[in-house]
Amino acid sequence: MTGTPIIPSADPLSTALNIGSFALGVFGAFGKKSSADKQAKAQNEFNKRQFEYDTILTDNQNKKIDSDYAYAYEGYEINKAWQEKLAKLTDEKNLRKYNYDLQIRNAQQLSAEKAYAKSERLFKGQLGYNQQAAEHARERSIIKQREIKQKAAFDNEDSIVKAIEAEGQLAVLSQAGRSSTKALVSLRAKRGRSEAKLIESLMSSRRDFALTLKEISRDQYGADLAAFANRMLKPGELPMPISPIATPIPELQAPKEIEEHDYLPDPIMGVKATGGSWLQVASGVANAIPAKWLA
């Protein structure tokens, strides 16, 4: 007699354990997926907030670049204008100093020329005075010498007259002979001595006159030398002040213009995170099935 085989019934405890193990495997697979989903969601939220922050930071940094450039260029313009103003003020100052120095130079030149002209007038006047004084001294010497000659001539004439008168009286009173001759010789000898003294006096006066003329010439020469020593040198032309030159303006370099590569690049959103896969869940459920159930 044939019939259906009888499958021995499983152990209730073992069955319960297998069911529990399977349930834990299923819950574990779903739990892993749920945990992975939460992590992916949190990561995506973080990436989103990070992207928003990076976008704000990049915009602010790029705005700061524009602001810094504008501030630097404004400073460049201010510095350039100040350098031009400073150069202009320096040129005006140098020009005023040049004009002042030129006035001083012209005043000194005029004063020197006036002093030289005065010195020349005094020098020529002194030479003229020396010449006149020498001429007057010579005239006085000549007059004195002439007076001496005239006096000598008068004395000589007086001596001759007296000698003639004495000889005449002697001729009238004296007798001829030796005594008369002796008296006449005496008279003539006396006359000779008188004439000799007169001649010596004239010669001495001539020597004095010549020496006086030399002294006058020497004194005039010394006075002329003294006048020449006090004579000023011709001043000549004083040097002109140095003309001022234009103050150089320093060449300033403008700030470098901002180019595209100077800006920060736009931020990039992070890669989206994915949660758990249903295939992984299925794989986990399949792995949780007891082997006995598949026999």
Side-chain angles (χ1 to χ4, degrees):
M1 177 177 175
T2 60
T4 303
I6 298 173
I7 300 174
S9 60
D11 185 8
L13 181 57
S14 177
T15 300
L17 292 174
N18 290 332
I19 293 173
S21 176
F22 175 73
L24 290 175
V26 172
F27 286 131
F30 279 98
K32 290 180 180 180
K33 182 179 183 304
S34 177
S35 177
D37 290 341
K38 290 180 180 180
Q39 292 179 358
K41 183 178 180 181
Q43 182 65 40
N44 290 332
E45 289 292 334
F46 174 79
N47 290 341
K48 181 179 179 181
R49 289 193 299 270
Q50 183 68 41
F51 176 74
E52 293 174 352
Y53 174 79
D54 292 343
T55 300
I56 295 173
L57 182 63
T58 300
D59 291 342
N60 290 339
Q61 289 293 334
N62 290 337
K63 289 179 181 179
K64 185 177 183 301
I65 292 174
D66 292 335
S67 177
D68 291 343
Y69 174 77
Y71 180 80
Y73 196 84
E74 182 181 7
Y76 159 75
E77 292 288 345
I78 293 174
N79 191 16
K80 181 180 178 182
W82 169 247
Q83 293 294 339
E84 293 174 353
K85 183 178 180 180
L86 183 62
K88 183 178 179 181
L89 291 175
T90 303
D91 289 341
E92 293 178 357
K93 177 183 177 183
N94 293 338
L95 182 59
R96 288 197 298 269
K97 186 178 184 302
Y98 169 77
N99 292 331
Y100 178 74
D101 293 341
L102 182 60
Q103 292 177 359
I104 293 178
R105 178 264 172 197
N106 291 339
Q108 291 176 344
Q109 180 72 38
L110 182 60
S111 177
E113 291 175 355
K114 288 182 177 180
Y116 175 73
K118 179 181 178 181
S119 174
E120 285 295 295
R121 291 193 298 269
L122 293 175
F123 172 70
K124 292 178 181 179
Q126 185 66 44
L127 292 183
Y129 173 79
N130 296 340
Q131 181 67 27
Q132 292 178 2
E135 290 177 357
H136 292 164
R138 291 189 185 96
E139 289 177 0
R140 288 193 299 269
S141 298
I142 292 173
I143 292 172
K144 183 178 180 181
Q145 181 65 20
R146 188 178 300 159
E147 291 175 349
I148 293 174
K149 286 182 179 180
Q150 290 177 353
K151 184 177 181 301
F154 291 149
D155 291 343
N156 186 35
E157 290 178 359
D158 187 48
S159 176
I160 294 173
V161 170
K162 288 180 179 180
I164 293 172
E165 290 177 350
E167 287 182 2
Q169 292 177 359
L170 181 64
V172 173
L173 298 176
S174 300
Q175 297 179 355
R178 186 175 179 184
S179 60
S180 176
T181 302
K182 184 177 180 181
L184 181 61
V185 171
S186 177
L187 287 173
R188 290 181 177 178
K190 183 178 180 181
R191 179 185 174 186
R193 288 194 297 270
S194 178
E195 289 179 352
K197 289 181 179 179
L198 183 60
I199 293 172
E200 180 62 27
S201 177
L202 287 174
M203 292 180 64
S204 177
S205 66
R206 289 177 181 177
R207 289 193 297 269
D208 292 341
F209 176 67
L211 291 175
T212 300
L213 292 180
K214 289 183 179 180
E215 288 178 356
I216 292 172
S217 298
R218 184 173 63 250
D219 292 342
Q220 180 184 1
Y221 181 72
D224 290 345
L225 283 179
F228 183 78
N230 294 327
R231 184 184 186 186
M232 290 182 61
L233 294 176
K234 191 173 183 179
E237 190 73 15
L238 294 177
M240 299 291 290
I242 299 177
S243 301
I245 60 175
T247 303
I249 301 176
E251 184 177 354
L252 303 177
Q253 182 177 2
K256 174 183 171 296
E257 293 188 3
I258 301 175
E259 300 180 14
E260 188 64 29
H261 62 265
D262 294 322
Y263 292 105
L264 297 178
D266 295 334
I268 301 174
M269 175 73 77
V271 179
K272 184 178 181 181
T274 58
S277 173
W278 286 106
L279 293 176
Q280 292 178 347
V281 173
S283 177
V285 171
N287 291 331
I289 298 174
K292 292 181 180 181
W293 290 8
L294 298 176

